[in-house]
Amino acid sequence: MIQAVITADFSEITGRIKPMHSVNNGPASLRGNSNAKYFTDAAIPFARNHDANFAPSYGAPHTVDIIAIFPNFDADENDPASYDFHLTDEYNANIMKTGTKVFYRLGNKIEHESKRYGALPPKDPHKWARICEHIIRHMNEGWADGTYAGIEYWEIWNEPDLHPQCWDGANEDFFVLFDIAARHLKACFPDLKIGGPAVTGVGNRGFVEPFFNYLTRDPNDPTPMDFFSFHCYAKDPGTVAAQAVTARAYLDQYGYTEAETILNEWNYVRAWQPADVMLYSYKVIPSLKGSAFVASTMLACQKSPLDHLMYYDARINTGWNGLFDYLSQTPLKPYWGLHGFSRLYLLGNEVNSSSDDPAVYCGAAISDDGKTAAILVSTYTDHDSIDGTGCENEERDVKICWTGFSSDDGVRVTYMLTDADHDAQIVSEETFFGAGGAHILRLPLYSTVLVTLTRV
């Protein structure tokens, strides 16, 4: 039997729990069902609205994208009649009703078809920037019978290094567009966070390095960028976390030391080719293995330099959605990974925690008042099984140890398990006395357990 030891010291606060459980796209309704309450229950911090214009439940094909809101590029960008905000306003409102904030992608959805529309470079980048300005003024300042949504993050484009699906033009033309738009929007809205460009991966040096070189071509007047966004699809949580290290290094190298790193598309992919391997990846995404991958990736990224992580995708009409069943809108296994991490996030303060087993991931947190604490543990390796069957030799006795949390009347400890038979359900409770404790749980592969400690 494999043995692993998890330790957490609640007397040693190391920082804040970061928003690692944000998602792409918000709640939807289908045949009278809605998953809105699950967004609230998991305290989802942000919903990025990229690819919302694929989903009729969000108002597609008339929502979010620039070419949907401003369909005639030759129209007057200063005239409210040139814009159609109606369904986008509804979509934003549905997100914010759950307590989730909108992360707004300025651009267009990916286009896999033989003809491009939104992926074409705007014929006038200055006008495109002014269109974005008016969209922001509508959303945040009430322009054109608008709202006061207080949307803070505005992302310029999506995957401009993916040709031609997202940018059917030269890289250099995108650099010019980003520079013009970022300068214009930051001048108009100095208190908002303007950034991007959501590259497919920081390993694409042929795009990323020329992009940064262009932004910093004048060292005395670099292009403003409050955050750098990028994507990563992988089979190993460590691979995802390593991308954050690379992204941080790029930002520091080019002088963007205060810019945030935001990984705003990620999910399980063993390999993009051949087709049977990609099919396997799609089967993993909503599975128990997918749940462990989600929890383990969030825990790995919490311990990395990453500032923000956004799962792709909560949109219901896609194979990338591992969170909700398409018809019932009820949670699938990976949702409970997000839910478990949200319990750390709500507590707020990260504390020192560690695992002596590379296949066991952990994180721990304590509340500001010191009355409640929690440890999240997940077991994951990339085996072929998607439900843990055939992996009995990967079962572990995990010893969960903690110090620095005590009460004269004892500490109540609950263990909430997600495995093949449980969805974040309490499987054990006990009371400890003294400054610490330890408990051994036998965990099959792909298990996730949330340990909650409360002063009695």
Side-chain angles (χ1 to χ4, degrees):
M1 176 65 63
I2 302 173
Q3 293 186 328
V5 178
I6 300 296
T7 59
D9 183 354
F10 292 105
S11 68
E12 186 179 346
I13 294 176
T14 57
R16 298 292 290 179
I17 298 294
K18 297 174 287 189
M20 299 287 108
H21 60 303
S22 290
V23 298
N24 279 252
N25 291 303
S29 60
L30 184 68
R31 299 180 182 178
N33 296 317
S34 173
N35 58 358
K37 68 177 182 178
Y38 300 115
F39 277 73
T40 302
D41 290 348
I44 302 297
F46 285 85
R48 177 179 181 247
N49 58 16
H50 173 60
D51 281 347
N53 208 26
F54 280 116
S57 57
Y58 301 150
H62 308 291
T63 187
V64 175
D65 289 3
I66 299 291
I67 62 172
I69 291 176
F70 194 83
N72 179 10
F73 196 83
D74 294 325
D76 181 0
E77 72 272 23
N78 298 304
D79 184 356
S82 301
Y83 297 81
D84 182 358
F85 292 111
H86 184 86
L87 294 177
T88 303
D89 288 344
E90 283 188 354
Y91 177 47
N92 287 343
N94 286 336
I95 292 172
M96 294 184 292
K97 284 176 186 177
T98 68
T100 298
K101 297 180 181 180
V102 174
F103 183 100
Y104 203 105
R105 189 272 290 123
L106 294 164
N108 299 287
K109 66 187 178 185
I110 191 171
E111 295 178 324
H112 294 288
E113 299 77 20
S114 60
K115 184 178 180 180
R116 317 295 166 194
Y117 297 87
L120 297 174
K123 55 187 176 182
D124 181 349
H126 291 278
K127 182 173 183 177
W128 189 86
R130 294 193 297 273
I131 294 167
C132 293
E133 172 200 343
H134 284 87
I135 291 173
I136 296 174
R137 293 198 187 282
H138 172 85
M139 303 297 175
N140 282 358
E141 298 179 356
W143 182 79
D145 297 321
T147 62
Y148 297 86
I151 299 172
E152 182 181 13
Y153 287 89
W154 296 87
E155 181 179 46
I156 299 170
W157 219 258
N158 174 79
E159 295 189 349
D161 56 329
L162 182 60
H163 305 285
Q165 295 95 325
C166 291
W167 182 259
D168 196 0
N171 288 344
E172 293 74 14
D173 291 336
F174 176 77
F175 302 160
V176 172
L177 176 69
F178 186 94
D179 176 68
I180 290 171
R183 290 181 187 277
H184 180 77
L185 296 179
K186 196 61 182 176
C188 293
F189 310 104
D191 295 330
L192 298 182
K193 294 184 178 181
I194 311 298
V199 293
T200 58
V202 292
N204 187 355
R205 296 176 60 185
F207 182 94
V208 174
E209 291 183 358
F211 172 70
F212 277 110
N213 285 331
Y214 186 86
L215 300 192
T216 57
R217 65 197 182 280
D218 182 350
N220 296 315
D221 187 26
T223 306
M225 184 168 61
D226 296 310
F227 64 88
F228 174 62
S229 54
F230 58 100
H231 300 161
C232 180
Y233 293 88
K235 62 181 181 179
D236 176 24
T239 300
V240 183
Q243 292 267 295
V245 176
T246 303
R248 183 74 264 162
Y250 270 123
L251 290 171
D252 293 346
Q253 175 187 345
Y254 285 93
Y256 292 102
T257 56
E258 301 301 315
E260 298 176 33
T261 54
I262 301 181
L263 202 175
N264 57 13
E265 280 192 31
W266 67 279
N267 210 322
Y268 178 91
V269 171
R270 176 172 280 184
W272 296 98
Q273 294 291 340
D276 60 333
V277 177
M278 191 60 218
L279 178 60
Y280 170 81
S281 301
Y282 276 121
K283 291 179 179 180
V284 167
I285 285 170
S287 72
L288 180 64
K289 178 179 178 179
S291 177
F293 178 77
V294 164
S296 300
T297 299
M298 291 186 297
L299 290 169
C301 287
Q302 170 65 30
K303 295 178 183 292
S304 80
L306 191 69
D307 293 301
H308 203 154
L309 188 64
M310 297 180 177
Y311 176 88
Y312 186 92
D313 196 348
R315 175 168 50 97
I316 60 171
N317 62 330
T318 174
W320 296 104
N321 169 25
L323 304 181
F324 302 105
D325 177 76
Y326 175 73
L327 292 177
S328 70
Q329 290 291 287
T330 53
L332 299 170
K333 289 291 184 182
Y335 169 84
W336 299 110
L338 289 181
H339 189 277
F341 190 89
S342 75
R343 277 34 223 167
L344 303 184
Y345 181 76
L346 291 171
L347 291 173
N349 299 296
E350 183 183 21
V351 302
N352 187 34
S353 64
S354 64
S355 167
D356 70 351
D357 185 336
V360 181
Y361 297 80
C362 69
I366 190 169
S367 60
D368 289 336
D369 62 12
K371 294 181 179 179
T372 308
I375 307 167
L376 185 65
V377 178
S378 183
T379 65
Y380 175 85
T381 55
D382 187 41
H383 286 291
D384 289 340
S385 172
I386 64 173
D387 59 4
T389 57
C391 299
E392 288 76 14
N393 62 332
E394 287 288 341
E395 191 172 65
R396 283 165 166 78
D397 280 339
V398 178
K399 186 177 183 180
I400 303 173
C401 309
W402 65 90
T403 57
F405 192 89
S406 63
S407 169
D408 292 340
D409 296 319
V411 174
R412 191 65 177 166
V413 183
T414 62
Y415 304 86
M416 298 178 66
L417 180 64
T418 298
D419 64 4
D421 301 315
H422 302 88
D423 293 332
Q425 294 166 318
I426 295 176
V427 294
S428 180
E429 292 184 286
E430 54 191 335
T431 301
F432 283 84
F433 294 89
H439 184 94
I440 296 177
L441 288 174
R442 181 156 293 179
L443 297 179
L445 186 63
Y446 308 147
S447 299
T448 302
V449 61
L450 176 69
V451 183
T452 302
L453 298 83
T454 307
R455 298 185 193 277
V456 176

